[in-house]
């Protein structure tokens, strides 16, 4: 990587956010190429076999019943149109009764989109655009609020377990209730759960939900257990291919109401759990990117080393952050003293001194705007320090400063 500041040798400044974005883009492209190579090696031969088998069946059928191939192809195209409208050879439940429509809108707002049911009328397509625009936004907000609450609950549980473990080791004294509570609050004031513990818990929860749902689908839908696990991941991750869809194969089930309620519950909990797991894994991926940036950083030979102020989304060790912060405070003090001296002498101050003198007012204004946007004031002990996960948007903003790896105090 090039220098991150202005370079005298002509190299432009490289922002760490941009470097991380470019590296992630390149890694995703490489990941896509590797995935395409693997799936092509696994599935291409099967596709060619299916084409050959279909061509043989088509030829034998046209010869057996003495049918014109063009007429038979036209009939098959009509069947494909009927298939898109939800008509199958097997007896299926109606697609556009109230329960079928409710299942459809659920796949729309959850962004699963199985594709087995699609609107065919112009009015339905226009209504879907506005309906999905509001419904998808509301559902994403629900997923983010679920993520915020599950992180809060897991942090509370893990903090309690950490407290019990420290008490067993004798780190926390067994005093009176009031003294023990005060000592516990002081000793665990800055403790936050690790992202790896939260990721492990969410992974176990996703596996349990998927295994239970697969047992239900394999027994009721008649799928294999591995196919049921495949459907659970495709549905819970909102990929939604549509090759396998629950509650659609037959017209009726035994205990149909109970099965539909269970199907709705498993899909809802699975989507929420997998969404939370994906966002926590994204933190680990961002840590890997930060580590790669640190390893690939090459200092410029023509430029002297300078102390850098911490940028937004820049991960720096704690002792370096503290040192840089102290330097900035001293610099501000010098600027303030010089500004006061110039004010006393009546000398006109420069724009740099004017901005330095009003830095406190700008910081207070920025804090007020941030509190207004967040809807609640920040704690008094919070600072403006940032690490590799501060200033995030959406789910990353929710998890900011809630886990040990995203804490500003790291």
């Amino acid at each position: 990587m090039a220098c991150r500041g202005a370079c005298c040798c002509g190299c432009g400044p490289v922002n760490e956010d941009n470097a991380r974005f470019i590296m992630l883009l390149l890694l995703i492209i490489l990941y896509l190429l590797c995935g395409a190579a693997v799936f092509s090696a696994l599935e291409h031969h099967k596709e060619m076999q299916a084409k050959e088998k279909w061509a043989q069946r088509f030829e034998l059928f046209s010869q057996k019943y003495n049918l014109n191939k063009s007429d038979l192809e036209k009939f098959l195209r009509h069947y494909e149109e009927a298939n898109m409208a939800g008509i199958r050879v097997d007896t299926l439940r109606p697609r556009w009764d109230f329960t079928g429509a409710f299942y459809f809108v659920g796949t729309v707002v959850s962004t699963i989109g199985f594709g087995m049911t699609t609107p065919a009328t112009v009015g339905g397509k226009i209504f879907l655009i506005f309906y999905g625009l509001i419904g998808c936004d509301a559902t994403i907000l629900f997923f983010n609020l679920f993520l915020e609450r599950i992180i809060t609950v897991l942090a509370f549980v893990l903090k309690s377990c950490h407290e019990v473990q420290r008490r067993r080791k004798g780190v926390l004294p067994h005093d009176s209730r009031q003294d023990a509570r005060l000592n516990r609050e002081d000793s665990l004031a800055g403790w936050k759960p690790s992202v790896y513990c939260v990721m492990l818990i969410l992974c176990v929860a996703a596996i349990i939900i998927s295994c239970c749902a697969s047992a239900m689908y394999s027994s009721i839908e008649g799928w294999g257990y591995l196919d049921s696990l495949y459907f659970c991941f495709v549905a819970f991750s909102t990929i939604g291919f549509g090759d396998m869809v629950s509650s659609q194969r037959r017209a009726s089930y035994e205990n149909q109401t109970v099965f539909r309620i269970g199907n709705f519950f498993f899909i809802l909990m699975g989507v929420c759990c997998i969404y939370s797991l994906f966002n926590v894994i994204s933190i680990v991926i961002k840590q890997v990117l930060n580590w790669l940036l640190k390893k690939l950083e090459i200092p410029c030979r023509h430029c002297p080393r300078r102390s850098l102020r911490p940028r937004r989304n820049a991960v720096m060790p704690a002792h370096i952050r503290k040192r840089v912060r102290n330097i900035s405070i001293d610099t501000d003090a010098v600027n303030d003293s010089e500004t006061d001296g110039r004010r006393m002498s009546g000398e006109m101050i420069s724009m740099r001194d004017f901005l330095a003198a009003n830095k406190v007012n700008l910081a207070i204004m920025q804090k007020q705007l941030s509190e207004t946007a967040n809807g609640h004031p920040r704690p008094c002990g919070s600072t403006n320090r940032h690490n590799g996960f501060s200033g995030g948007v959406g789910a990353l903003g929710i998890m900011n400063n809630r886990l040990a790896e995203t804490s500003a105090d790291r």
Side-chain angles (χ1 to χ4, degrees), residues 66-309:
N66 194 17
L67 297 175
N68 190 358
K69 292 183 179 180
S70 60
D71 295 337
L72 183 57
E73 289 177 354
K74 185 182 296 185
F75 176 79
L76 292 176
R77 289 192 182 94
H78 289 317
Y79 175 72
E80 289 178 355
E81 295 177 358
N83 194 9
M84 292 295 296
I87 300 174
R88 302 289 191 275
V89 177
D90 300 329
T91 303
L92 296 176
R93 53 176 289 186
R95 296 296 179 91
W96 290 110
D97 61 347
F98 183 78
T99 56
F102 184 81
Y103 195 91
F104 167 74
V105 296
T107 61
V108 169
V109 300
S110 62
T111 68
I112 296 177
F114 285 123
M116 80 289 180
T117 303
T118 55
T121 61
V122 177
K125 294 178 180 179
I126 296 176
F127 179 73
L128 176 64
I129 295 174
F130 296 98
Y131 186 84
L133 180 65
I134 300 175
C136 292
D137 294 338
T139 306
I140 292 174
L141 176 61
F142 172 79
F143 290 157
N144 288 330
L145 295 178
F146 178 87
L147 174 63
E148 182 179 8
R149 278 148 183 78
I150 196 66
I151 293 296
T152 303
V153 171
L154 291 178
F156 176 79
V157 173
L158 292 175
K159 189 174 184 178
S160 301
C161 296
H162 180 71
E163 176 189 349
V164 173
Q165 185 179 4
R166 294 189 64 183
R167 184 179 290 109
R168 289 179 178 177
K169 292 182 179 180
V171 179
L172 295 179
H174 296 275
D175 299 332
S176 60
R177 292 183 178 179
Q178 185 175 2
D179 295 338
R181 182 176 60 84
L182 294 177
N183 293 331
R184 182 174 66 252
E185 291 178 356
D186 294 337
S187 60
L188 300 177
W191 187 89
K192 292 182 178 65
S194 174
V195 66
Y196 301 102
C197 294
V198 176
M199 183 178 64
L200 179 61
I201 294 174
L202 290 175
C203 185
V204 172
I207 292 174
I208 292 175
I209 294 175
S210 299
C211 291
C212 295
S214 299
M216 182 185 71
Y217 293 137
S218 60
S219 61
I220 297 179
E221 295 285 354
W223 300 336
Y225 193 78
L226 183 60
D227 291 335
S228 300
L229 284 174
Y230 161 79
F231 165 76
C232 288
F233 177 78
V234 171
F236 296 167
S237 59
T238 68
I239 297 175
F241 289 126
D243 54 342
M244 300 176 66
V245 182
S246 60
S247 186
Q248 300 292 321
R249 293 277 179 183
R250 302 177 212 164
S252 61
Y253 298 87
E254 296 181 1
N255 300 322
Q256 185 173 358
T257 304
V258 177
F259 172 69
R260 289 183 178 178
I261 294 175
N263 183 39
F264 175 80
F265 172 78
F266 277 122
I267 290 180
L268 177 63
M269 296 304 300
V271 169
C272 292
C273 191
I274 292 294
Y275 176 84
S276 303
L277 179 61
F278 283 173
N279 284 283
V280 174
I281 292 176
S282 66
I283 294 180
V284 179
I285 296 176
K286 199 169 186 180
Q287 281 187 319
V288 174
L289 293 176
N290 294 334
W291 179 79
L292 291 176
L293 286 176
K294 185 178 179 182
K295 292 297 181 181
L296 295 176
E297 182 178 350
I298 302 175
C300 182
R301 298 179 180 178
H302 305 284
C303 300
R305 294 180 61 88
R306 298 189 301 268
S307 60
L308 298 175
R309 294 179 64 88

Side-chain angles (χ1 to χ4, degrees), residues 364-394:
I364 293 175
M365 184 183 301
Q366 183 179 7
K367 180 180 179 182
Q368 291 175 351
L369 291 174
S370 177
E371 292 175 356
T372 303
N374 294 329
H376 56 81
R378 294 182 180 179
C380 298
S382 64
T383 61
N384 289 330
R385 290 178 294 169
H386 296 288
N387 63 358
F389 304 95
S390 56
V393 180

Side-chain angles (χ1 to χ4, degrees), residues 326-345:
N326 292 334
I327 293 174
S328 65
I329 292 175
D330 296 338
T331 306
D332 294 343
V334 173
N335 291 333
D336 292 341
S337 62
E338 292 178 356
T339 304
D340 294 339
R342 291 185 179 183
R343 284 180 180 176
M344 294 296 295
S345 61

